[in-house]
């Protein structure tokens, strides 16, 4: 089976490398075609070896037994020698008894008398009378060819009977000992040799008997053509079909005709019409005489289920009489070409069904349905004298189902189920093969691995849902398959990440290929009626001569380069350089240290004062987190805050910051009654803002620290509230219900709409430091700050200017009636003890004088 799966997989890969086949057949279509062809070929090979013939014969017998019995043939009467007759008249019968029996029969003018008894010599008394009876023109005698029952050799017919009234008895048996065929005629000198049944059937017709001719595969009795059986028809696979044979049609499991015993005939205890103008067959039916044979109705080897030789001859004669009278009595068989289509058709059906099923648990039910359909067609066929091979398609269906199931399991282990592309493990194996090939060639082109990531895919997943994200992945995968460079291989190696293997391309050409690929992949995506932007960041890793490369390392390097491309602005590609790996390792180490930093109490808060520009008094502080790592010292917030966002640690860190800032404010309120108005500004991150239990955590912290809500100002960026405006407003209202103050941080740098701003329950606008820093040099920035201050006043909001560094800036902000200032001009962010000292030593008049 592994050989079959590998052959199918190689064939599938070969089809994939062509340019026409992918447009003609889908992946499922190729699986169906290849698996059905492979299964049909395998079954055909098994058939040639005759391994399926026993199963075909077994199924045929069951179907024959399941059909209704035909009524007794009224043209035939069997006079059987019963056990009682043997007891009464002895065995073998004396000539006088035989002569008397034949005379009693002939009185009623039967059309044919078939003497199915071996009688090569006379047994007086009564021999003369028997000779006289044997001379009757309507009597057909029998002779045995080969070995007769009881181990005798050839048994000739009675010597006084002419050859034209003698038929041979040579009934072929199959390998299982069952009689299913009727040998009617064998070519030979003087017109050939006729079977006993054929002689009787021909003699039944008009006198003289029908003439018999023949060709290669037909017997002709007058105008009636009898097509004979070949060795590979029906369920036979190379059976000995020498001579002229037909498949025997049994009328039923019992006698094909009415039966009389010798005693009944000799005593006259019968209806004369049973004999008049009929075929009368005389033979033994007593079991003790051992003239019994196995038939399709013998479903085991029990002697009670055997059939007497004269009864079998009755079935044969009945069938031939129907044939000669033009009645349908011969089995029909599929020609070879139709049998091939029959087999492949079922394999194709099974492959289609197995491929279409998404749940493997339904496969047995589907297989059972196919088997029932096959059995039903087979039964209908046998009932209408058509022998349809069933073991072949049954085996083909089983092989096909196993093959498709095995292939699907094999395919799923090497391919991504969503996009149909090879998966990471499969891609690494292909890179390994490419590396091995390149080492064998001295001047081989480098092996190039490109790593592709979809820009802003996370936004699509979170805003439109994972189903939309899956559709985007499928569309990108389809584009990759369509636009990938020739002789390249593509795979999906991660959530929104793909990889490309290039062979036979030099490093200079790789850049142009990446540019072209990016252009082709960057066309907007249509998701229903919605058009989505589509940009890709790529990282490229190229093998270097003289270095030993590993597939996983090459993929890692391309991945690192891709992240560098994203960091530098997305929608671009970067080629891996050694420094990138060091940077990536450092980033990983940073994230690892970050996880343990909270447990090790390595974080601390610094506090930067916010000054009332009208009074010069300290209005509050902004809490800013700092990380003091034991090995690195202080780590810049710009380095660890993004890492905390990506790892999700920002959730726990944000809760700690809020609670610690509240505790500090509580201490200052307790220490300085004159600073009860003091507020604490605390930043919220994107991840925190979407945290379901954010309000509950804040409420618990306020209750535990006994800080009033109106002393806490939460700073939120514009981008955080513009994603889902209604949800953002709902959350802000819940926060306002805790009496918290809300501020929009870095106002003017985001994408907020003024039409939404008045709907937000904000208390404060914080002017970004980039505007304040250019205040002395840029009239445009002065105008922007003037506009923001006017807007804040109109909306009833306080305005805080960030990044104040000079006295001139303070003066200008005062002239514009800005409420608060924050920056290094007043104080840098301070640890808690220095902030305490600032509160203790603060002189509002001095700061007001500077302002």
């Amino acid at each position: 089976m592994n050989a079959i799966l590998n052959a199918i997989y190689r064939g599938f890969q070969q089809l994939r490398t062509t340019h026409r086949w992918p447009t003609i057949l889908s992946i499922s279509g190729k699986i169906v075609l290849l698996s059905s062809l492979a299964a049909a070929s395998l079954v055909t090979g098994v058939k040639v070896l005759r391994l399926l013939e026993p199963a075909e014969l077994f199924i045929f017998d069951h179907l024959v037994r399941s059909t209704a019995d035909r009524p007794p043939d009224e043209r035939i009467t069997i006079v059987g020698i019963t056990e009682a007759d043997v007891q009464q008249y002895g065995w073998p019968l004396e000539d006088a008894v035989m002569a008397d029996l034949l005379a009693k029969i002939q009185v009623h003018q039967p059309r044919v008398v078939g003497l199915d008894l071996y009688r090569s010599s006379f047994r007086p008394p009564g021999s003369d009378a028997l000779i006289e009876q044997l001379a009757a023109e309507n009597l057909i005698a029998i002779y045995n060819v080969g070995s007769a029952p009881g181990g005798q050799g050839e048994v000739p017919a009675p010597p006084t009977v002419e050859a034209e009234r003698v038929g041979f008895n040579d009934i072929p048996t199959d390998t299982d000992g069952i009689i299913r065929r009727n040998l009617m005629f064998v070519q030979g000198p003087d017109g050939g040799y006729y079977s006993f049944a054929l002689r009787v059937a021909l003699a039944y017709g008009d006198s003289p008997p029908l003439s018999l001719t023949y060709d290669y595969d037909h017997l002709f009795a007058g105008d009636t053509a009898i097509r004979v059986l070949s060795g590979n028809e029906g369920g036979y696979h190379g059976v000995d079909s020498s001579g002229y044979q037909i498949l025997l049609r049994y009328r039923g499991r019992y006698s094909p005709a009415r039966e009389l015993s010798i005693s009944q005939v000799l005593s006259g205890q019968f209806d004369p019409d049973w004999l008049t103008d009929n075929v009368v067959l005389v033979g033994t039916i007593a079991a003790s005489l051992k003239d019994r044979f196995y038939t399709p109705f013998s479903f085991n080897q029990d002697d009670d289920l055997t059939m007497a030789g004269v009864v079998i001859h009755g079935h044969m004669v009945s069938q031939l009489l129907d044939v000669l009278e033009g009645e349908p009595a011969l089995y029909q068989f599929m020609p070879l070409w139709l049998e091939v289509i029959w087999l492949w058709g079922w394999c194709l059906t099974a492959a289609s069904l197995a491929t279409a099923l998404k749940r493997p648990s339904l496969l047995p039910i589907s297989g059972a349905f196919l088997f029932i359909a096959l059995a039903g067609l087979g039964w209908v066929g046998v009932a209408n004298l058509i022998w349809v091979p069933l073991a072949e398609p049954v085996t083909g269906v089983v092989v096909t189902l196993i093959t498709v199931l095995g292939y699907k399991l094999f395919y799923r282990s090497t391919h991504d189920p969503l996009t149909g592309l090879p998966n990471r493990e499969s891609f690494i194996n292909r890179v390994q093969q490419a590396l091995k090939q390149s080492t064998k060639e001295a001047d081989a082109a480098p092996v190039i691995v490109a790593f592709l990531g979809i820009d802003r895919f996370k936004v699509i997943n979170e805003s439109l849902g994972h189903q939309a994200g899956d559709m985007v992945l499928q569309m990108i995968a389809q584009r990759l398959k369509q636009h990938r460079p020739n002789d390249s291989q593509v795979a999906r190696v991660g959530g929104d990440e793909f990889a490309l293997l290039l062979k036979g391309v030099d490093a200079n050409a790789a850049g142009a290929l990446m540019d072209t690929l990016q252009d082709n992949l960057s066309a907007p995506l249509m998701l229903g009626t919605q058009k989505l932007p589509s940009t890709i960041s790529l990282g490229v890793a190229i093998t270097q001569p003289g270095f030993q490369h590993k597939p996983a390392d090459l993929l890692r390097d391309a991945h690192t380069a891709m992240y560098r491309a994203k960091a530098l602005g997305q929608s671009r590609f970067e080629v891996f350089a050694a420094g990138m790996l060091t940077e990536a390792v450092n980033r990983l180490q940073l994230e690892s240290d970050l996880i343990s930093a909270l447990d090790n109490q390595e974080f601390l808060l610094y506090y930067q004062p916010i000054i009332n520009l009208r009074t010069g008094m300290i209005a509050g502080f902004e809490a800013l987190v700092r990380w003091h790592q034991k090995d690195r010292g202080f780590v810049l917030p710009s380095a660890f805050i993004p890492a905390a966002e990506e790892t999700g640690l920002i959730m726990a860190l944000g809760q700690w910051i809020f609670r610690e800032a509240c505790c500090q404010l509580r201490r200052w309120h307790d220490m300085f009654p004159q600073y009860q108005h003091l507020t604490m500004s605390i930043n919220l991150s994107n991840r925190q803002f979407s945290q379901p239990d954010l309000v509950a955590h804040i409420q618990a912290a306020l209750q535990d620290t006994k800080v009033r809500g109106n002393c806490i100002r939460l700073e939120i960026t514009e981008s955080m509230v513009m994603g889902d405006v209604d949800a953002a407003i709902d959350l802000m209202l819940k926060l306002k219900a805790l009496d918290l103050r809300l501020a929009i941080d870095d106002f003017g740098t985001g994408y907020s709409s003024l039409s939404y701003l008045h709907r937000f329950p904000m208390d404060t606008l914080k002017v970004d430091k980039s505007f304040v820093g250019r205040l002395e040099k840029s009239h445009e920035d002065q105008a922007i700050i003037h506009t923001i201050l006017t807007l804040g006043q109109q909306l009833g909001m306080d305005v805080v200017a960030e990044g104040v560094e000079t006295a001139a800036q303070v003066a200008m902000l005062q002239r514009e009636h800005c409420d608060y200032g924050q920056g290094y001009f007043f104080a840098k962010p301070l640890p808690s003890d220095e902030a305490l000292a600032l509160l203790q030593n603060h002189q509002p008049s001095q700061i007001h004088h500077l302002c």
Side-chain angles (χ1 to χ4, degrees), residues 718 744-752 766-768 771 784 788:
E718 295 176 71
I744 291 186
D745 198 11
D746 301 332
F747 185 75
T749 61
Y751 302 96
S752 63
K766 295 194 74 173
V767 182
D768 186 68
F771 300 124
I784 290 173
I788 294 174

Side-chain angles (χ1 to χ4, degrees), residues 610-675:
I610 298 173
I611 305 300
N612 188 319
L613 295 181
R614 292 188 179 89
T615 64
M617 293 184 61
I618 297 176
F621 288 88
E622 180 178 358
L624 301 170
V625 67
R626 295 292 184 265
W627 179 21
H628 187 270
Q629 213 271 337
K630 58 181 180 181
D631 296 325
R632 297 188 183 90
F634 277 100
V635 182
L636 292 174
S638 60
F640 73 83
I641 292 295
E645 284 272 4
E646 289 185 20
T647 59
L649 184 66
I650 195 69
M651 312 282 274
L653 179 59
Q655 292 177 26
W656 176 85
I657 291 172
F658 188 88
R659 186 172 287 271
E660 181 63 22
C662 288
C663 289
Q664 184 61 67
L665 183 61
R666 177 75 266 167
R667 285 193 291 270
W668 286 340
H669 281 172
D670 293 340
M671 293 175 63
F672 304 103
Q674 70 274 25
Y675 282 120

Side-chain angles (χ1 to χ4, degrees), residues 175-483:
T175 53
D176 54 3
I178 291 177
I179 295 175
R180 300 183 183 88
R181 292 171 285 143
N182 175 13
L183 175 59
M184 303 178 296
F185 180 79
V186 177
Q187 295 183 40
D190 301 325
Y193 304 98
Y194 293 65
S195 71
F196 175 73
L198 182 60
R199 285 287 193 194
V200 171
L202 292 174
Y204 181 81
D206 297 333
S207 182
L210 294 170
S211 61
L212 191 69
T213 59
Y214 53 86
D215 61 16
Y216 176 73
D217 56 359
H218 286 84
L219 278 178
F220 298 94
D223 296 331
T224 303
I226 304 174
R227 188 182 181 280
V228 297
L229 179 71
S230 70
N232 293 297
E233 290 187 316
Y236 287 117
H237 303 153
V239 71
D240 180 9
S241 59
S242 56
Y244 288 78
Q245 303 179 30
I246 60 172
L247 192 65
L248 178 55
R249 183 211 65 186
Y250 286 89
R251 294 189 69 89
R253 69 197 68 235
Y254 305 112
S255 178
R258 295 168 296 197
E259 291 187 5
L260 296 172
S261 67
I262 292 178
S263 302
Q264 287 176 304
V265 174
L266 292 176
S267 63
Q269 299 176 7
F270 62 90
D271 184 350
D273 290 339
W274 285 20
L275 304 184
T276 302
D277 207 31
N278 281 353
V279 172
V280 179
L281 299 178
V282 181
T284 63
I285 60 175
S288 61
L289 299 182
K290 301 187 181 302
D291 184 28
R292 304 188 71 84
F293 303 91
Y294 293 110
T295 70
F297 299 98
S298 309
F299 51 86
N300 59 37
Q301 299 298 305
D302 194 327
D303 286 341
D304 292 338
L305 300 172
T306 57
M307 196 173 286
V310 68
V311 175
I312 293 176
H313 273 132
H315 286 288
M316 293 178 176
V317 171
S318 176
Q319 181 182 18
L320 290 173
L321 289 178
D322 284 343
V323 171
L324 294 175
E325 292 180 2
E327 298 293 328
L330 292 176
Y331 276 93
Q332 305 294 314
F333 310 100
M334 288 182 176
L336 180 59
W337 63 268
L338 184 57
E339 194 170 322
V340 171
I341 294 176
W342 166 258
L343 170 60
W344 185 51
W346 282 102
C347 293
L348 201 62
T349 302
S352 302
L353 195 60
T355 304
L357 289 176
K358 302 300 182 184
R359 295 169 55 190
S361 60
L362 295 177
L363 204 58
I365 299 175
S366 303
F369 172 78
L370 291 178
F371 296 149
I372 292 172
L374 268 169
L377 289 174
W379 183 87
V380 171
V382 170
N384 291 277
L385 299 179
I386 302 173
W387 188 0
V388 179
L390 292 184
E392 289 179 51
V394 166
T395 306
V397 166
V398 172
V399 172
T400 302
L401 292 177
I402 294 174
T403 301
V404 173
L405 180 60
Y407 182 83
K408 288 175 78 171
L409 294 175
F410 177 71
Y411 186 84
R412 288 176 181 175
S413 69
T414 57
H415 287 73
D416 168 50
L418 178 65
T419 62
L421 295 175
N423 60 16
R424 184 185 189 91
E425 291 74 17
S426 179
F427 184 77
I428 287 178
N429 290 336
R430 295 182 185 185
V431 175
Q432 180 68 53
Q433 294 170 8
L435 290 173
K436 286 182 179 179
Q437 185 66 29
S438 67
T439 58
K440 296 177 182 177
E441 303 174 7
D443 56 346
V447 175
I448 301 174
V449 172
F451 205 100
L452 300 81
I454 303 175
D455 297 332
R456 301 178 71 251
F457 179 74
K458 184 179 178 182
V459 176
I460 296 174
N461 250 354
E462 292 180 349
S463 59
L464 300 180
H466 289 280
Q467 186 175 3
D470 289 346
M471 294 174 65
V472 168
L473 290 172
Q474 290 171 332
M475 287 188 281
I476 292 294
Q478 188 62 34
R479 287 186 181 181
L480 276 171
K481 286 187 278 189
Q482 290 176 349
H483 301 295

Side-chain angles (χ1 to χ4, degrees), residues 546-840:
F547 287 88
Q548 196 74 20
H549 294 277
K550 294 181 180 180
D553 293 344
L554 204 58
L555 189 63
R556 178 204 61 198
D557 294 345
H559 192 197
T560 301
M562 186 270 291
Y563 270 112
R564 169 58 67 88
K566 282 184 177 288
L568 294 177
Q570 302 184 342
S571 190
R572 58 183 294 162
F573 80 88
E574 288 289 321
V575 179
F576 176 78
M580 293 182 184
L581 181 59
T582 302
E583 181 181 329
V585 171
N586 290 339
R587 172 64 179 262
L588 183 63
Q589 186 60 50
L590 175 71
E591 292 178 357
S592 177
D593 293 341
L594 194 58
I595 293 174
S596 58
L598 197 59
D599 294 334
N600 296 338
Q601 298 181 347
E602 296 176 4
F603 292 109
L604 60 156
L605 292 183
Y606 274 43
Y607 304 92
Q608 188 172 31
I610 298 173
I611 305 300
N612 188 319
L613 295 181
R614 292 188 179 89
T615 64
M617 293 184 61
I618 297 176
F621 288 88
E622 180 178 358
L624 301 170
V625 67
R626 295 292 184 265
W627 179 21
H628 187 270
Q629 213 271 337
K630 58 181 180 181
D631 296 325
R632 297 188 183 90
F634 277 100
V635 182
L636 292 174
S638 60
F640 73 83
I641 292 295
E645 284 272 4
E646 289 185 20
T647 59
L649 184 66
I650 195 69
M651 312 282 274
L653 179 59
Q655 292 177 26
W656 176 85
I657 291 172
F658 188 88
R659 186 172 287 271
E660 181 63 22
C662 288
C663 289
Q664 184 61 67
L665 183 61
R666 177 75 266 167
R667 285 193 291 270
W668 286 340
H669 281 172
D670 293 340
M671 293 175 63
F672 304 103
Q674 70 274 25
Y675 282 120
Q676 294 300 308
H677 66 279
L678 205 63
T679 63
M680 185 69 74
S681 295
I682 304 171
N683 292 283
L684 283 183
S685 70
N686 277 303
R687 295 287 289 270
Q688 283 180 283
F689 197 71
S690 58
Q691 185 178 347
D693 55 355
L694 173 66
V695 176
H697 281 293
I698 289 176
Q699 185 176 19
L702 293 175
Q703 291 174 350
D704 293 344
T705 58
K706 296 181 174 57
V707 171
R708 301 188 307 276
N710 61 2
C711 293
I712 301 296
R713 179 183 286 110
L714 296 179
E715 297 191 3
I716 303 168
T717 62
E718 295 176 71
S719 59
M720 290 164 56
V721 297
M722 292 308 300
D724 186 341
V725 174
D726 292 332
I729 291 175
D730 183 63
L731 177 60
M732 286 188 285
L733 290 175
K734 291 178 180 178
L735 294 173
K736 289 290 292 181
L738 299 179
D739 205 21
L740 295 168
R741 297 184 183 183
L742 302 179
I744 291 186
D745 198 11
D746 301 332
F747 185 75
T749 61
Y751 302 96
S752 63
S753 170
L754 295 180
S755 63
Y756 285 111
L757 187 60
H758 76 279
R759 294 178 55 193
F760 295 146
M762 291 292 178
D763 302 287
T764 304
L765 295 179
K766 295 194 74 173
V767 182
D768 186 68
K769 61 184 178 181
S770 62
F771 300 124
V772 177
R774 297 190 297 266
L775 192 59
E776 300 172 72
K777 303 176 182 179
S778 170
H779 293 291
E780 289 80 3
D781 289 302
Q782 292 176 19
I784 290 173
I785 289 181
H786 175 76
T787 301
I788 294 174
L789 289 169
T790 302
L791 179 65
Q793 292 168 4
Q794 292 295 323
L795 295 176
M797 299 182 187
D798 297 332
V799 179
V800 179
E802 294 184 294
V804 179
E805 296 183 353
T806 66
Q809 292 171 355
V810 173
M812 295 178 72
L813 290 170
Q814 279 186 316
R815 284 197 299 272
E816 293 290 342
H817 304 291
C818 182
D819 300 303
Y820 301 98
Q822 176 183 351
Y824 275 52
F825 176 77
F826 305 112
K828 64 181 180 179
L830 304 171
S832 58
D833 55 344
E834 293 183 22
L836 175 62
L838 178 64
L839 287 171
Q840 291 172 335

